[in-house]
Amino acid sequence: MKLVVLWRVLVVVAAIALLEVLCLAGAIDRITMPPPHEIARDLWRMLVSGRMNGAIRKTLTNASIAFASAAIAGVAFAALLHNHRQTRSTLDPLFATYYAVPVFAFYPLLIAVFGLGDLPQVLIGFMLGVVAVIVNTLNGLDRVPRVLAKTAAVNRLGRVRTAASITLPYAAPHILTGVKLAVAYSLIGVVGSEFIMSRGGIGYEISFAYNNFDNATMYPLIVLILALSIAVNAFLTRWEQRLRVRRGQR
Amino acid sequence: MSADVGAMAAAEAGESRGTGIRNALILVAVLLAIWQGLYWTFGDIAIASPAATARYAIGLFGSERFWPHLIETSKAFVAGYALAVVLGLGIGFWLGFHRLSSEVLEPMVVAVYSLPKVTLYPILLLAFGLGISAKIAFGTLHGVIPIILFTIAAVRSVKPVLVKTGRVLQLSPAAMVRRILFPAALPEIFTGLRVGFSLTLIGVLLAEMFASQRGLGFLLMNGIGLHNVEQIMAITLLIVVFAASVSTVLLAIDRRLHRHA
């Protein structure tokens, strides 16, 4: 296990070292990519100077709103849908093909309807995330043992209380899988739509820097957003695993 | 109540084709009704009606202006997907076979899957230049990941007895892949190819929406500049219909393969 981690670190370090060598040797020219040590230095300077704080705040705020609404709406909708089998089976084809349809294709339409504010970006993040939450929550609710439903009935719990205190907590690990996807998807949705067309945010700054051949800003921002999403995903994956282990041992 | 559960299990195990088609039709009807309702509520300025959008979409196929864009997107997509399949199967089989490599690299591939890959597109543009090759590379970057991951899982799930039989017969690695691993792992691999198809399409369109002068993605963004809502909606409709119908067909094949396996 330890050996695997060591190898993983080694692969990453080797890849960065290779890029560094290629850049310094001139195999990759400076217009294409600055050497990694300069990217790291520029990233540090950028964070210290705080000139990107506004963009970072905007992106994180919008992604959080998109994520929170996707998680809440997704769980609530799935809890409702779970009781309506006919509606659910009608929606099945939608869920099955949803992620095959490029959600970003709706972005121009959303801009045309709502204008170029924050709303279209938040909506894209929401649309990307919400179905993952719905599908995984349904999947979790399907696995709730019947004895628990009976216990709820014996204790005369209403529908809402049954959902809040029995079925949803039981389905928590599955819901977390959906929530984890929603975090990644809402960030992808917000940054992606900022990147395509917007008035601010990390995605916008990256595309602005690209258009101005400003590699000293573009590469640090790319590294920042990648590092951020890797960190968030790693944290959630660990949390999910811990939850599963606890369930397994019970 | 137990009958309920039985019915549900039966429905999940082998949902008859009739219900599937009926559900899809109801769904399309409901979506069209919602769309028409939105049109009545918000009117001409905000969105186009379903009928007008369909008319515009059909009109596109008759116009000289549209074809070069469609062909550009198709070319980029076909090339990107072909590359994704070749690379994905190659890397997937390698990692599926080689325990240490896959333990080291698989989590990295999973991590790449959940990254906002759009941010990498400027790097591809700088490396490949403006033009079709950057689009192809970006489509491949999206499509290759699910193909790798599903192929790894597929190769690992092949029953050991089949592999041992191959060893006894002293098959070469190539013959082993062709005669044993590939047929046995096909259903799972197909799932990867199906997901890869959709993601490659997403990648190519995303690339076209940013800094491109050609393709359907460009037409979408061009519609914003022209304030041409009908153009935006017609192209969106074409993309959605294409993606959804191909994915439905692939999903049906996928389920059949898994049933036989």
Side-chain angles (χ1 to χ4, degrees):
Chain A
M1 190 61 217
K2 275 276 194 274
L3 185 73
V4 170
V5 177
L6 194 71
W7 267 106
R8 221 171 278 159
V9 174
L10 211 65
V11 169
V12 174
V13 171
I16 295 173
L18 181 68
L19 277 177
E20 182 78 48
V21 170
L22 287 176
C23 286
L24 291 179
I28 300 177
D29 58 58
R30 294 198 57 89
I31 305 163
T32 307
M33 187 181 171
H37 79 266
E38 276 183 33
I39 298 177
R41 191 198 60 204
D42 292 340
L43 176 61
W44 173 251
R45 282 187 190 161
M46 196 176 77
L47 290 177
V48 170
S49 76
R51 72 193 161 97
M52 283 299 160
N53 285 1
I56 296 171
R57 201 175 307 122
K58 179 173 151 73
T59 299
L60 291 184
T61 311
N62 284 348
S64 311
I65 297 171
F67 159 71
S69 44
I72 294 167
V75 170
F77 186 70
L80 268 177
L81 197 59
H82 194 245
N83 293 324
H84 295 87
R85 243 181 325 116
Q86 184 54 49
T87 319
R88 182 177 169 184
S89 93
T90 308
L91 284 175
D92 261 349
L94 177 73
F95 294 152
T97 52
Y98 189 81
Y99 284 104
V101 173
V103 172
F104 280 106
F106 287 95
Y107 187 56
L109 177 62
L110 292 175
I111 293 179
V113 174
F114 298 109
L116 201 50
D118 290 354
L119 187 59
Q121 294 139 39
V122 174
L123 276 175
I124 289 287
F126 171 81
M127 284 164 74
L128 270 176
V130 69
V131 170
V133 179
I134 295 176
V135 169
N136 282 291
T137 307
L138 283 174
N139 187 15
L141 290 176
D142 284 342
R143 286 155 206 257
V144 175
R146 288 172 33 74
V147 64
L148 289 184
K150 281 184 182 162
T151 312
V154 167
N155 286 301
R156 303 188 175 214
L157 296 183
R159 274 198 170 172
V160 176
R161 282 210 56 196
T162 309
S165 52
I166 295 185
T167 46
L168 288 179
Y170 186 87
H174 292 274
I175 297 176
L176 187 60
T177 305
V179 165
K180 194 183 77 176
L181 287 171
V183 173
Y185 288 165
S186 51
L187 196 62
I188 290 176
V190 169
V191 174
S193 39
E194 279 172 359
F195 182 73
I196 296 170
M197 185 183 260
S198 71
R199 292 221 181 96
I202 301 180
Y204 168 81
E205 296 293 346
I206 292 175
S207 94
F208 186 81
Y210 166 77
N211 287 320
N212 290 293
F213 306 102
D214 182 6
N215 278 356
T217 306
M218 187 180 94
Y219 275 91
L221 279 174
I222 294 176
V223 170
L224 176 70
I225 192 77
L226 296 185
L228 195 73
S229 52
I230 289 174
V232 171
N233 282 314
F235 170 74
L236 286 170
T237 306
R238 188 155 295 178
W239 189 24
E240 186 188 19
Q241 274 167 358
R242 218 180 304 153
L243 205 61
R244 277 186 198 251
V245 166
R246 216 169 66 191
R247 284 296 158 100
Q249 283 170 345
R250 218 186 250 173
Chain B
M1 217 170 155
S2 64
D4 258 21
V5 175
M8 212 156 83
E12 269 173 25
E15 191 185 79
S16 69
R17 186 169 296 177
T19 16
I21 291 173
R22 202 196 60 202
N23 283 339
L25 288 179
I26 296 176
L27 190 64
V28 170
V30 170
L31 290 177
L32 281 176
I34 294 174
W35 181 359
Q36 184 69 44
L38 287 175
Y39 171 69
W40 280 328
T41 322
F42 295 109
D44 265 329
I45 317 150
I47 60 172
S49 71
T53 307
R55 224 176 302 131
Y56 194 96
I58 293 166
L60 279 176
F61 286 99
S63 83
E64 294 277 303
R65 204 172 65 90
F66 176 65
W67 282 99
H69 294 294
L70 183 62
I71 290 169
E72 168 88 0
T73 302
S74 315
K75 264 194 207 158
F77 172 71
V78 169
Y81 187 53
L83 262 174
V85 170
V86 172
L87 286 175
L89 290 180
I91 299 173
F93 271 108
W94 166 46
L95 293 184
F97 268 131
H98 200 269
R99 195 87 216 174
L100 182 64
S101 312
S102 75
E103 276 177 6
V104 172
L105 296 176
E106 197 187 347
M108 295 186 188
V109 182
V110 175
V112 174
Y113 177 77
S114 53
L115 290 180
K117 284 185 281 294
V118 223
T119 54
L120 296 173
Y121 190 54
I123 303 182
L124 292 180
L125 278 175
L126 290 174
F128 291 96
L130 272 172
I132 198 166
S133 27
K135 290 183 201 176
I136 295 173
F138 198 58
T140 305
L141 180 66
H142 276 76
V144 75
I145 293 169
I147 302 182
I148 294 176
L149 293 177
F150 278 98
T151 307
I152 295 175
V155 172
R156 279 204 200 129
S157 67
V158 172
K159 291 198 183 79
V161 64
L162 294 178
V163 180
K164 279 180 190 156
T165 312
R167 288 223 185 93
V168 169
L169 295 170
Q170 297 190 320
L171 295 181
S172 65
M176 188 83 139
V177 168
R178 207 176 63 235
R179 301 204 179 265
I180 294 186
L181 289 171
F182 192 75
L186 185 63
E188 196 79 357
I189 289 177
F190 189 84
T191 307
L193 296 180
R194 173 172 66 83
V195 180
F197 186 96
S198 313
L199 289 186
T200 308
L201 183 65
I202 292 173
V204 169
L205 287 171
L206 259 178
E208 286 181 343
M209 290 171 85
F210 180 81
S212 174
Q213 297 302 317
R214 281 163 143 212
L216 297 184
F218 162 73
L219 281 183
L220 272 177
M221 298 309 289
N222 180 247
I224 301 179
L226 300 172
H227 292 291
N228 188 342
V229 181
E230 278 187 340
Q231 176 176 325
I232 298 176
M233 293 190 72
I235 306 270
T236 309
L237 180 72
L238 289 178
I239 293 171
V240 169
V241 168
F242 172 75
S245 32
V246 172
S247 132
T248 306
V249 171
L250 292 180
L251 198 62
I253 301 174
D254 197 332
R255 284 187 178 147
R256 176 169 298 185
L257 282 173
H258 275 278
R259 254 206 305 283
H260 285 307

